[in-house]
Amino acid sequence: MIKFKMIFIVFLLLGVILAGCSSGSNAVDESKSVSGDVQQTEGNKEEAEEKTEVQYYYTANEGGSITKIDASDNSIVTTIEVEGSAHNVQVSPDGKLIGATVVPGMAGQGGGHGEHGEVSAKAVFYSVESDELVQEAEVGNHPAHIVFTEDGKYAVVTNNEDNTASVIDMNSLNVSNTVETGKGPHGFRISSDSKRAYIANMGEDTVSVINLETMKEEKRIKVGRAPVTTGITSDGKTLVAALNGENALAVIDLATDKVDKIPVGTGPAQVYIDEKGQFAYVANQGTEEAPSSSVTVIDLALKKASAEIETGKGSHGVVTSPDNKRVYVTNIFDDTVSIIDKEQNKVIDTIEVKGMPNGISITD
């Protein structure tokens, strides 16, 4: 991680690089087979099966690119060059678009939280099928994470230096609303009913709860020092937040806002809750001078760590596969991605991804 000046002094002291991700769905309904005088050819069947089986994961690279990787063999399919530093990436729920946050003028400078003057940044949208740029949307200063609502209506971007979140209408792919947040908004997740975004405010000790129907902040939940990212269970009952300033994961009961804290590794960055809502995976980044290299597995029912998995230096972005078998982790100081077998709780493959891989997301 390169050194940089920050608007919020707490970021400099903690040495955190911002990060963040979710997956979309592009399933084929095989029950709708054609009968009678119109039948599907074997060629069409094979084509449909091929489309169903193809799965990619993407990394946002601070050096100025987005890497597309085939999940079947972990081979790099393509590298999409972007003008600036790509920070976070996410696949849309329908599996058709890949969205990313980009800070202009940062390419080749390590990205992260470096200065970029007064130039506004952007969210970019690419076609998953063709890898072509579909649209750019101007957002606020220093965009951090991008997350799509499950209903496909919006993409939300946190603007770390403006203390706001930009809401992008997916019909026009332009910003339709700007919502005030706490200080230093960064990583977040959106409830499965698409009604609320839970945004970690790195510049303070809170999570902003944003109502996406009224487009206003409902409240702030005090969770602990320097929360980096959040996660929420599909039933909407449990919220988690990675506390970089406390080397802990906050587990919040949303019915009461009661907070429990579970120790994790040093300098936690991203957190991701698996598909069944059983485990939270916390990527421990540390700092460039003293990098961490592990993922802590938290049993959410027991509220305790169940495993510590060795990865690469600066474990940062994390996502689980839709089939609940794999965990993918970006190692920002190693230029690698670790692939973890969930059942064995160990790394089974490591691939090289150049340019300081940060955020990560996977298609369904």
Side-chain angles (χ1 to χ4, degrees), residues 119-158:
V119 179
S120 292
K122 59 190 175 183
V124 293
F125 299 93
Y126 289 88
S127 166
V128 167
E129 182 179 0
S130 69
D131 304 325
E132 295 295 323
L133 179 66
V134 175
Q135 178 103 339
E136 296 182 353
E138 185 175 303
V139 292
N141 284 310
H142 217 134
H145 281 212
I146 181 170
V147 179
F148 294 92
T149 57
E150 286 298 318
D151 61 13
K153 289 183 179 180
Y154 304 113
V156 182
V157 174
T158 46

Side-chain angles (χ1 to χ4, degrees), residues 255-326:
T256 62
D257 289 349
K258 181 181 180 294
V259 179
D260 290 299
K261 295 179 182 179
I262 304 167
V264 297
T266 303
Q270 285 196 36
V271 58
Y272 198 90
I273 297 175
D274 71 4
E275 297 302 309
K276 293 184 178 180
Q278 292 179 297
F279 300 102
Y281 292 82
V282 182
N284 303 307
Q285 178 186 289
T287 65
E288 187 173 13
E289 294 75 18
S292 295
S293 56
S294 71
V295 167
T296 305
V297 185
I298 302 295
D299 186 313
L300 291 176
L302 299 177
K303 295 183 181 178
K304 70 176 185 179
S306 61
E308 190 85 8
I309 305 168
E310 287 298 315
T311 54
K313 291 181 181 179
S315 300
H316 189 92
V318 58
V319 68
T320 63
S321 61
D323 64 8
N324 215 38
K325 293 182 179 180
R326 300 283 185 267

Side-chain angles (χ1 to χ4, degrees), residues 214-250:
T214 64
M215 295 297 171
K216 294 187 180 298
E217 183 185 46
E218 283 187 348
K219 63 178 179 178
R220 293 181 197 175
I221 304 171
K222 191 171 184 178
V223 295
R225 294 198 305 273
V228 179
T229 54
T230 68
I232 184 167
T233 53
S234 58
D235 62 12
K237 294 180 178 180
T238 304
L239 178 72
V240 298
L243 304 179
N244 185 268
E246 298 185 31
N247 298 331
L249 182 73

Side-chain angles (χ1 to χ4, degrees), residues 17 44 159 240:
I17 300 176
N44 287 339
N159 304 309
V240 298

Side-chain angles (χ1 to χ4, degrees), residues 292-360:
S292 295
S293 56
S294 71
V295 167
T296 305
V297 185
I298 302 295
D299 186 313
L300 291 176
L302 299 177
K303 295 183 181 178
K304 70 176 185 179
S306 61
E308 190 85 8
I309 305 168
E310 287 298 315
T311 54
K313 291 181 181 179
S315 300
H316 189 92
V318 58
V319 68
T320 63
S321 61
D323 64 8
N324 215 38
K325 293 182 179 180
R326 300 283 185 267
V327 183
Y328 299 88
V329 184
T330 59
N331 304 306
I332 198 166
F333 302 136
D334 265 356
D335 284 349
T336 61
V337 173
S338 296
I339 296 93
I340 296 170
D341 182 287
K342 283 181 86 275
E343 185 175 352
Q344 301 179 66
N345 274 337
K346 73 174 185 179
V347 173
I348 57 173
D349 201 359
T350 301
I351 65 168
E352 182 178 351
V353 177
K354 295 181 180 179
M356 299 183 70
N358 190 316
I360 188 167

Side-chain angles (χ1 to χ4, degrees), residues 45-162:
K45 286 181 180 178
E46 290 176 2
E47 182 181 355
E49 289 173 359
E50 182 180 353
K51 286 182 179 179
T52 304
E53 293 171 1
V54 173
Q55 187 176 61
Y56 305 107
Y57 57 98
Y58 292 80
T59 63
N61 308 316
E62 299 282 4
S65 64
I66 298 168
T67 302
K68 180 180 184 180
I69 304 162
D70 188 327
S72 66
D73 59 8
N74 296 315
S75 63
I76 293 177
V77 177
T78 189
T79 298
I80 302 170
E81 300 296 329
V82 300
E83 186 180 350
S85 175
H87 183 71
N88 183 243
V89 67
Q90 195 189 37
V91 179
S92 63
D94 62 8
K96 294 181 179 180
L97 293 176
I98 181 76
T101 52
V102 179
V103 180
M106 296 294 294
Q109 299 178 29
H113 276 119
E115 291 186 337
H116 54 77
E118 298 301 321
V119 179
S120 292
K122 59 190 175 183
V124 293
F125 299 93
Y126 289 88
S127 166
V128 167
E129 182 179 0
S130 69
D131 304 325
E132 295 295 323
L133 179 66
V134 175
Q135 178 103 339
E136 296 182 353
E138 185 175 303
V139 292
N141 284 310
H142 217 134
H145 281 212
I146 181 170
V147 179
F148 294 92
T149 57
E150 286 298 318
D151 61 13
K153 289 183 179 180
Y154 304 113
V156 182
V157 174
T158 46
N159 304 309
N160 185 258
E161 291 184 6
D162 289 348

